Amino acid sequence: MIVAIASGKGGTGKTTVAVNMALSLKDVQLLDCDVEEPNVHLLLHLNINEEKTVYVSTPQVNEELCDHCGKCGEFCQYNAIFVSPEKVLVFRELCSSCGGCVIVCPRKAISEEQHRIGALKCGSAGDLEVVYGELNVGEPMAVPVISEVKKQIKSDKTVILDSPPGTSCPAIVSVKRSDFCVLVTEPTPFGLHDLKIMVQVLKDMEIPFGVVVNRAGIGDKKVYEYCEEKNIPILLEIPHRRKIAELYSKGVPFSLEMPEWKPKFQKLFREVRKLADK
Amino acid sequence: MKIGVSSSGNNMEALVDPRFGRCTYFVLVDSESMQFEAVPNLAATSGSGAGIQAAQTIAGKQVQVLITGNVGPNAFRALSAAGITVITGASGKVREVIEKYKKGLLSETREPTVRGHFGMGAGRGHGRRRGQ
């Protein structure tokens, strides 16, 4: 079973929920798909046992073979290729590595070169298996690194997947094909605004979901009213407590120091499983 | 000489569109005869690389000089590769900027004048929104 933890708004507590839930269950694989700012590993002391470089393919044009017909540029939906009468320019940061330009070139003037964009790391913290990706600074395409992380999924385990914030490609590709999505929000106008967008995304993707309210007690009641109106289950509330914040600031998953939370995360998971089976 | 102007309308009396990649039209003018042709800019709604696509459009029309408000780095690279002279900072009607150019009142730009995504407007995309 694959459970994605997502939010829309950043900083609501996705990683906190993902890590504490993972530590409260058995036989878990935890994936950090927030490859731009991975931080699951900051809360867990990992033994890294495998590291891999992640590459993407981008076109390289042999000007001696090219007759500047322009077919590659016309084909490219991302406008990553510009063809002037004398020269072809490749804008690598716009390329999504589909390889279409190589296929459409009538003179076989385009080949693909491998470009390093990030790394994949696999490790463990006790019984917990952890995989995370790191996108190199300045690289605009997070999706290929996220896809590499997701290739490591072991479907016989309980897979918990920490998604990046936002509702664009990196978030979509992270939650894709999960059995359930836990949306972590905070009870503020900002949390609600971005929660609504993510709800729309998940409805379109036909992924069942529920809400965890983090920092309960701050803000207003609008998130609760919204969930009631839309029949969205609120699966757990984590109160706004100094102790939880202090543990977080020291890089300690709070359920380790506050053991009364383990059964609550176990109950959250049981609830998730029930709703996913519906 | 064929001059391309980024324009908000399809004629010589329309105002110059300050955006290059996402302007509505290109008005292409023959500087001797003052005959013109208006070409819709298909890149205006492009998800990414609008400046590059727009440069491809006007390069395909054998434009030698481009007059616009601003160009971003990718568009500037493409226009330079195609040997197109770029003039920025233009405003007013298309006819007026052509006249100014012919009198030598406008000078060539040697570098991009804005960062990428200038013409996209605010509020696009749903980024990280951390700590808001």
Side-chain angles (χ1 to χ4, degrees), chain A residues 7 9-13 17 183-196 211-227 234 236-241, chain B residues 132:
Chain A
S7 69
K9 184 184 177 298
T12 56
V17 170
L183 290 174
V184 184
T185 190
E186 57 182 35
T188 63
F190 302 103
L192 176 61
H193 178 270
D194 295 356
L195 172 69
K196 283 179 180 171
V211 164
V212 168
V213 179
N214 189 19
R215 301 203 189 100
I218 64 165
D220 55 28
K221 289 280 160 205
K222 296 240 165 62
V223 164
Y224 297 92
E225 289 164 13
Y226 170 75
C227 288
I234 292 179
L236 179 70
E237 282 180 88
I238 302 170
H240 187 57
R241 288 277 177 281
Chain B
Q132 287 190 3

Side-chain angles (χ1 to χ4, degrees), chain A residues 25-221:
Chain A
L25 305 171
K26 286 193 171 68
D27 207 19
V28 174
Q29 188 190 31
L30 176 59
L31 268 60
D32 192 346
C33 288
D34 189 1
V35 303
E36 290 175 75
E37 291 170 353
N39 49 16
V40 159
H41 66 285
L42 299 178
L43 288 166
L44 298 164
H45 300 281
L46 297 184
N47 288 315
I48 301 290
N49 46 40
E50 200 193 334
E51 281 195 56
K52 249 173 54 183
T53 305
V54 180
Y55 298 91
V56 291
S57 312
T58 48
Q60 193 172 30
V61 180
N62 182 340
E63 290 282 356
E64 277 169 28
L65 295 176
C66 174
D67 63 357
H68 306 99
C69 71
K71 289 212 166 71
C72 53
E74 273 167 43
F75 177 83
C76 182
Q77 296 302 299
Y78 299 93
N79 299 315
I81 308 183
F82 176 81
V83 185
S84 81
E86 278 121 43
K87 212 166 141 191
V88 179
L89 300 182
V90 175
F91 294 86
R92 199 178 58 72
E93 70 280 10
L94 297 176
C95 175
S96 54
S97 308
C98 73
C101 52
V102 178
I103 297 168
V104 299
C105 177
R107 295 176 66 94
K108 309 246 172 290
I110 306 179
S111 57
E112 287 179 293
E113 59 178 352
Q114 299 291 306
H115 184 84
R116 181 188 291 228
I117 61 160
L120 174 77
K121 303 197 181 188
C122 306
S124 59
D127 296 337
L128 177 63
E129 280 191 38
V130 180
V131 181
Y132 70 100
E134 268 178 356
L135 182 71
N136 289 350
V137 172
E139 286 296 336
M141 298 278 183
V143 170
V145 182
I146 298 171
S147 301
E148 279 304 315
V149 172
K150 290 191 74 173
K151 273 187 200 159
Q152 309 301 316
I153 286 181
K154 291 183 179 165
S155 46
D156 55 326
K157 286 185 173 276
T158 296
V159 178
I160 298 175
L161 192 155
D162 191 13
S163 307
T167 47
S168 62
C169 296
I172 307 279
V173 81
S174 297
V175 302
K176 202 172 165 181
R177 280 195 273 279
S178 32
D179 299 299
F180 193 87
C181 186
V182 173
L183 290 174
V184 184
T185 190
E186 57 182 35
T188 63
F190 302 103
L192 176 61
H193 178 270
D194 295 356
L195 172 69
K196 283 179 180 171
I197 305 171
M198 199 58 198
V199 163
Q200 196 54 52
V201 169
L202 292 174
K203 280 187 175 160
D204 286 352
M205 295 177 79
E206 297 178 350
I207 296 172
F209 58 91
V211 164
V212 168
V213 179
N214 189 19
R215 301 203 189 100
I218 64 165
D220 55 28
K221 289 280 160 205

